[in-house]
Amino acid sequence: MKDIVYKIINSKRNKWIITLIVLISMGAAVMMIPTKLVLARMLPGKSANTMTIYVDTATNASSQETQSVTTCIVNYLKQEREITDMEVYLGQGAPLDYAGLVKGSALKRLKNQAEIVLNFTNKNDRDEATYMMAHRLRPHIEKECGDIVPHTSIKFTEMPAGPPTLATIVVELYNPDANALRKMAAQVANILEDTEGLVDVDVMQDDIYTKYNLVPDKEKIILSGLNVEQVNQIIYLAFKGMPIAEKNTKNQQDQIPIFLRLNEETRVVEADTESSLLSKLVSLELMNDKGMMVPISEVVKIKSAESSPTIFRKNLKNMVTITAECDMVSQVYPLLEAREKMLEVLKTDYNMSKVPGINTYMFDLIAVDKKTGDEILIRWDGEMKVSLDTFRDLGGAFIAALVLMFLLMVVYYKSFALSGIVLIGSFLSIIGVIVGHWVTDKISLYAADTHFFLTATSLIGFISLMGISARSSLLLIDFSKSLIADEGMEKKEAIAVATATRAKPIMLTAIAIILGSLLLATDPIFGGLGIALIFGSIAATLVSLFFIPVLMDNARALMPDEHQFDDGERKGTWCILTDNLKSLFPGKKEKKREHTAHEDTLLYEGYECEETDRTTWCTLIDNIKSFFPDKKEVKDDEENLVQTKDTLHYEEAKRKEEENNVKWRTTLIDNVKSFLTKKSETKADDKNKMTLSTMIDKVKSFLNVKTEDEVDNAYEKAKAERDFINLHNMGNKQFQKRDLDKAIESYEKALKIKEDKGTSFKLELAKVQKEKEDKKKQAEKDDKKDQDKTEEDKPKKDENKDTLDSKKEKKSKKKKDDKEE
């Protein structure tokens, strides 16, 4: 394993091959969903022990007509061996079950409504699931019993695997005008019936039929000697029936009502026409107060009118609902197909537009009638709405998990690159999740002729798998960093060793997950969760062992903080740009250790190359310019000439400045010496002369300290740069080429400074020493001359002294004489 991983990360070609394989696999896996190789659904069908058949005949159908339909269905189902018993609920709903909670079973009270409850043998004892039986029986029952009564709807209602809805596909139409809604509902229902995969299409709207009102003629009733109330009660009693008396019982205190109406043959009208009703009324007569028989047809008028349909409202808006069920397919694909057909078919009569925005109602349409201008909202609801809400919530949970994992990794590693590697390794497990569903779907089609869907439980398995797969990447990164930092191992070798060492625990973890998920894979509801864990673990293991090492090798953050990189280890352009942007916000950097170059050794510990002090933005601009090495600017000859002149001018100015400094120091020395020499002329002893020489030497040394220190510092730096060069020449390739060039340049410059400064200092020192010797010799000559002159002038001084004394005596004597006078 170590050799395989090392061979991959040690070759750029192999790393590119692995990267391309992962990218192609990722793209191919994601494209399986829109290409329908993997079908998505909220939840798969659930095999239960019961199933209900809803029967809705025409709105004006009688209970006998509804019963004829239910009897036909029951007779056909008697031949099914898996059905143990059946119950028929005529004119009412069956006892509430999980599906009937939202399907309105408790509200059924009409004569055209009925429910048939089917009970099957135990689902574990039979091979055929209930949804497979519904798929097989539906077309036969529709053919045998669907045409007995016009406008009959027969719907097979299975126990839902997830949240119950009114139907799998629900289309809601909103408009204040009932006629506009009825017209649109008929067109939408036809489109749904023509869509492959949709069955049991039903419009939840009352049929409009002709009804006949019997209106009593009060004038004729009074003239005939009859009573208006009497006429109404008799008509109601004849056709509808009513209690006319009560019978007492011996054993109970309750009274039993006596219900009276005409028999079936007498009260049934032969046809739905006004003439048929009139002929029936002619046969009915009433006795007036004079004992005469009066036909009811003489005192009653027949008026025909349209029925008043039930008005359905939702959110204070008039609406019509169209429902449909999916037959062994996901609701997503028939819905999209039907929606496209609506846009194509309805555009002849309506101006169609889509509702803008991305939300759970993003499939809604708006139709504006070209003639009347009525605006109708076509809204998709049902299981599709629940699916969108669920996938939205799971998507939000998935994004939240990604963000929290990334923040946790950033806090742990203090690196965005390593945190990104962990997330990439976790996210790529989706390759195995999608491919696993494709493989399982093919097996399911071959074995049971049913599709295996990518469901909400599959996404739950993928989200839970992210935490498991992230652990493998963490193991590799931590172990590699430990080998590099503690063992001093080379980066590529450390990654290979870490991968080979951690391969066994990673694979054992994956095997444990696979074996533990096998039981889940056989469940019809949580099978997606098991398949996601099994195949996702396989994909995550392969990614961790072969692709994560490639990303780790390209990550500079894997190396210690004090590590330096050469150009060969640089990352891509955008990664460098990202690092430079991050450098604009530096955190608390550790203080660099101070190093002293007091030993002239080839290699010494802790040396760090100094970088040119520049602002962050200047450095960033230089780095951005370096991203495009092929686009170099060609300098003109004039620019080169100007730069050359500027360089020569700068060197000449610098040389003049150094000469002025030397002249200034020489002048200062001469001034101090002359001042001290003049002062020393008043003192002729040798001790003062020694003090003068000492002071001159101190002044010279003081004036030359700065220059010598600069030379020494430059020389020490040159030694450090020389060691840097020698270290690079010995084979350490961890230094950048630009640092090497900089070191060579600094070293050559320092040597030149050392040579120039040393020569200048020696010349200046020799000049000062020569001047000192000349001054000393001149001083000795001057002292000797002064001594000889002193000896020659001594008698003259004595003689001058006597003359001065005689003059004083003469002057004092003259003053005394003047005083006496």
Side-chain angles (χ1 to χ4, degrees), residues 169-180:
I169 299 293
V170 177
V171 183
E172 297 176 350
L173 307 178
Y174 293 90
N175 187 270
D177 189 1
N179 295 326

Side-chain angles (χ1 to χ4, degrees), residues 57 96 144 216 224 264 282 306 392 461 515 541 653 751 753 794:
T57 56
L96 289 179
E144 294 289 334
S224 301
E264 295 291 335
V282 169
E306 290 186 352
R392 177 198 62 192
L515 295 178
T541 302
L751 292 180
I753 293 173
K794 187 175 181 180

